[in-house]
C-alpha cells in the first residue's frame, strides 16, 4: 500500500494514477475535508495530456474554460505587448488545450474519481506529526500507519521534507490578493498586465460564469519577523500609477486574505528510504510560469509509471521517479524566478527589451514554449 500525505491536487492525482496502475493507495489529509483555497488555476498542455490519460477530460470540460488568447498588457500604459494564440494551432502543436478553471472544481473532479476507485482509501482530519524512512507515519491522535512507501504531497510547508532537507521556504517579498467576480460580459481571453514590481492576471472560470483576478506586488515594508506587510493599503499604493482598467480591477479584488509568495531552491534529493516527495513538497515554485499544479500532475503520472515498471518495488520506483523528475522541476523552478524578474523589472533596459521581444513575436510562434509544454510524461 502506498501512503500519500496530503489530499490536494498533487496527492489526489497521484492516488488516481497509482490506483489505475494497479496498486492500493491510502490518502491522509490534515484538514477536516478535502478542499482547495483560492480561485482560479491554469493547466497547460503538459498537465492536460496527463489528465486526459487518466480519463478526466469529460468531467473537466463541464467546468473549465479554454481561453482564446493569452494577451500581455503593460499595467501602467495600457499598451498591448504581445499575444499567444491558444486556438486550434496551439492545440495541434501541443496535443492539448490551455485550460483554466476553479481550483475547487479541479479537486472535485479528482476527488470524485478517487472516491469511486476500489483501490483508494481517503481519510480527513489526520494530522501527521512524524514520518520515518521505513514508511511509518505517526498522527496527532497517537495512531500510526505503515505504508510500503510514503509520498509526501503536503505542500510548501511539508513536514515530510524534513527527512531529506533542513531548508526553509524563501519569501520573494511579493504578495498576492485574489478573488473571482460574476461575469457580466463575454470574456474569452486571459490577460496579464505586467509592470514595475507588480502584475495582474485575469481570466474566466466556471464555464465563463466567474472572472478570476490575481493581483501581485512587491512589498517595500517586508520584514521577515512579522506578517504586517503586503497590506491592502499597499495593494492600492502599488497599483496607483496603473492604467484605468487595472485600477478598476484592483478595487474589486477582496482584501480579507493575502497570499505571500514563497518558493524554495531546488534540492538534489527528494527520497530517503521508503519516503519520497511530490509537488510543492518537492519543488515549490513561484507562479510566473503557472506550473505549480502542472508539475505535480507530471510527478503523479511519472511515479505511477515507475511503480508499474518496477512491479511495485518501492526503492527502485522512487529512484527512477526522482531521476526522471528532479532535473525538469529544478529547471522550471529556476526559470519561474527569472520570468518574475522580467515581468517586474523597473530599470530602464530590461522592460524595454522585454516589451520589444513580446511585441515582435507572432501569436502562433510557440518556439519558446516547447521546452515547457512539450515536456513531461
Amino acid at each position: 500500500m502506498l501512503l500519500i500525505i496530503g489530499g490536494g491536487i498533487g496527492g489526489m492525482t497521484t492516488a488516481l494514477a497509482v490506483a489505475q496502475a494497479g496498486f492500493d493507495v491510502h490518502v491522509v489529509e490534515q484538514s477536516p475535508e478535502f478542499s482547495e483555497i483560492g480561485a482560479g488555476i491554469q493547466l497547460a498542455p503538459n498537465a492536460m495530456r496527463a489528465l486526459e490519460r487518466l480519463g478526466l477530460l469529460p468531467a473537466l470540460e463541464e467546468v473549465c474554460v479554454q481561453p482564446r488568447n493569452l494577451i500581455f498588457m503593460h499595467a501602467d500604459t495600457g499598451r498591448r505587448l504581445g499575444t499567444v494564440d491558444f486556438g486550434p494551432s496551439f492545440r495541434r502543436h501541443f496535443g492539448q488545450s490551455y485550460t483554466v478553471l476553479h481550483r475547487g472544481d479541479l479537486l472535485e473532479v479528482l476527488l470524485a474519481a478517487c472516491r469511486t476507485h476500489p483501490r483508494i482509501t481517503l481519510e480527513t482530519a489526520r494530522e501527521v506529526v512524524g514520518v520515518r524512512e521505513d514508511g511509518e507515519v505517526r498522527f496527532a491522535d497517537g495512531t500510526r500507519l505503515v505504508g510500503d512507501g510514503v509520498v509526501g504531497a503536503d505542500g510548501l510547508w511539508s513536514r515530510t521534507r524534513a527527512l531529506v532537507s533542513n531548508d526553509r521556504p524563501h519569501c520573494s517579498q511579493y504578495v498576492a490578493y485574489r478573488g473571482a467576480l460574476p461575469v457580466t460580459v463575454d470574456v474569452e481571453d486571459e490577460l496579464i498586465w505586467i509592470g514595475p514590481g507588480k502584475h495582474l492576471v485575469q481570466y474566466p472560470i466556471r464555464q465563463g460564469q466567474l472572472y478570476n483576478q490575481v493581483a501581485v506586488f512587491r512589498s517595500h515594508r517586508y520584514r521577515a519577523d512579522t506578517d504586517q506587510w503586503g497590506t491592502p493599503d499597499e495593494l492600492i499604493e502599488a497599483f496607483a500609477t496603473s492604467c484605468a482598467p487595472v485600477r478598476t480591477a484592483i478595487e474589486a479584488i477582496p482584501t480579507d486574505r493575502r497570499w505571500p509568495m514563497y518558493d524554495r531552491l531546488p534540492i538534489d534529493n527528494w527520497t530517503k528510504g521508503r519516503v519520497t516527495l511530490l509537488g510543492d513538497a518537492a519543488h515549490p515554485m513561484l507562479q510566473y510560469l503557472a506550473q505549480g499544479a502542472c508539475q505535480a500532475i507530471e510527478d503523479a503520472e511519472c511515479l505511477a509509471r515507475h511503480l508499474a515498471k518496477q512491479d511495485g518495488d518501492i526503492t527502485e520506483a522512487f529512484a527512477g521517479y526522482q531521476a526522471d523528475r528532479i532535473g525538469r522541476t529544478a529547471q522550471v523552478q529556476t526559470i519561474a524566478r527569472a520570468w518574475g524578474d522580467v515581468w517586474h523589472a523597473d530599470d530602464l533596459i530590461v522592460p524595454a527589451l522585454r516589451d520589444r521581444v513580446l511585441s515582435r513575436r507572432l501569436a502562433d510562434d510557440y518556439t519558446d514554449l516547447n521546452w515547457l509544454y512539450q515536456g513531461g510524461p
Side-chain angles (χ1 to χ4, degrees):
M1 178 266 291
L2 188 71
L3 180 58
I4 299 174
I5 301 172
I9 291 167
M12 285 295 181
T13 308
T14 304
L16 186 60
V18 170
Q20 289 187 3
F23 302 96
D24 293 333
V25 186
H26 192 137
V27 180
V28 291
E29 165 59 37
Q30 176 175 296
S31 301
E33 59 184 20
F34 295 105
S35 63
E36 277 288 331
I37 299 173
I41 188 170
Q42 303 179 57
L43 297 178
N46 53 310
M48 290 300 294
R49 292 192 300 270
L51 294 173
E52 180 180 22
R53 289 187 285 267
L54 290 175
L56 298 177
L57 251 56
L60 289 173
E61 287 172 353
E62 294 181 5
V63 295
C64 76
V65 173
Q66 295 173 355
R68 179 183 59 184
N69 298 295
L70 168 63
I71 302 174
F72 284 97
M73 307 285 291
H74 196 288
D76 287 351
T77 67
R79 184 163 67 93
R80 185 168 179 150
L81 301 177
T83 301
V84 179
D85 181 350
F86 281 160
S89 60
F90 181 91
R91 292 190 288 272
R92 285 193 301 270
H93 187 81
F94 292 113
Q96 253 303 336
S97 65
Y98 198 96
T99 299
V100 295
L101 68 165
H102 197 287
R103 296 185 71 92
D105 292 343
L106 174 58
L107 186 64
E108 281 300 317
V109 168
L110 290 164
L111 185 57
C114 287
R115 280 177 169 155
T116 59
H117 200 292
R119 286 189 174 272
I120 300 175
T121 300
L122 303 173
E123 282 192 286
T124 56
R126 298 285 272 159
E127 181 183 355
V128 173
V129 295
V131 182
R132 296 194 338 189
E133 61 183 284
D134 63 359
E136 180 184 277
V137 176
R138 293 181 291 110
F139 298 94
D141 61 6
T143 59
R144 303 172 184 233
L145 279 175
V146 179
D148 297 318
V150 176
V151 175
D154 45 347
L156 171 70
W157 300 98
S158 170
R159 291 183 176 179
T160 315
R161 187 178 173 114
L163 266 181
V164 299
S165 175
N166 62 3
D167 68 322
R168 299 285 297 169
H170 172 265
C171 184
S172 69
Q173 302 182 26
Y174 279 79
V175 63
Y177 286 85
R178 50 172 61 106
L181 301 170
V183 171
T184 56
V185 296
D186 288 339
V187 181
E188 297 183 272
D189 297 324
E190 175 177 350
L191 301 180
I192 301 181
W193 305 78
I194 58 178
K198 64 194 172 189
H199 75 268
L200 171 71
V201 180
Q202 300 173 304
Y203 54 83
I205 55 176
R206 290 255 164 96
Q207 289 194 322
Q209 299 173 24
L210 295 175
Y211 198 45
N212 184 67
Q213 300 195 117
V214 184
V216 176
F217 66 94
R218 179 172 57 239
S219 172
H220 296 289
R221 302 179 197 170
Y222 170 78
R223 283 175 45 197
D225 60 348
T226 178
D227 64 356
Q228 299 304 307
W229 59 275
T231 55
D233 63 307
E234 282 189 87
L235 169 68
I236 300 301
E237 179 183 331
F239 285 90
T241 60
S242 297
C243 61
V246 171
R247 294 198 310 272
T248 299
I250 296 302
E251 291 172 359
I253 292 179
T255 57
D256 55 328
R257 176 168 182 163
R258 77 197 219 298
W259 281 263
M261 300 286 99
Y262 289 88
D263 68 353
R264 298 190 197 228
L265 290 172
I267 52 177
D268 60 8
N269 177 55
W270 300 341
T271 304
K272 189 169 185 179
R274 293 183 169 271
V275 180
T276 196
L277 304 174
L278 183 141
D280 281 350
H283 45 73
M285 57 191 64
L286 297 176
Q287 76 277 27
Y288 305 116
L289 294 176
Q291 279 286 310
C294 296
Q295 291 303 305
I297 290 167
E298 284 190 14
D299 288 348
E301 187 173 44
C302 181
L303 178 57
R305 184 176 69 250
H306 278 282
L307 281 167
K309 179 180 177 180
Q310 300 298 336
D311 196 25
D313 184 316
I314 293 295
T315 301
E316 292 298 320
F318 282 2
Y321 153 73
Q322 176 173 298
D324 275 1
R325 296 294 301 150
I326 207 163
R328 173 163 167 81
T329 56
Q331 182 184 26
V332 179
Q333 283 178 284
T334 303
I335 294 178
R337 273 193 179 190
W339 193 222
D341 291 340
V342 170
W343 279 13
H344 301 141
D346 56 8
D347 58 19
L348 294 176
I349 298 175
V350 174
L353 291 175
R354 174 199 68 200
D355 297 352
R356 184 180 178 88
V357 170
L358 287 174
S359 64
R360 289 194 166 194
R361 63 171 302 282
L362 298 175
D364 61 353
D365 178 3
Y366 307 121
T367 305
D368 294 333
L369 298 173
N370 286 337
W371 74 275
L372 187 57
Y373 296 165
Q374 287 183 341

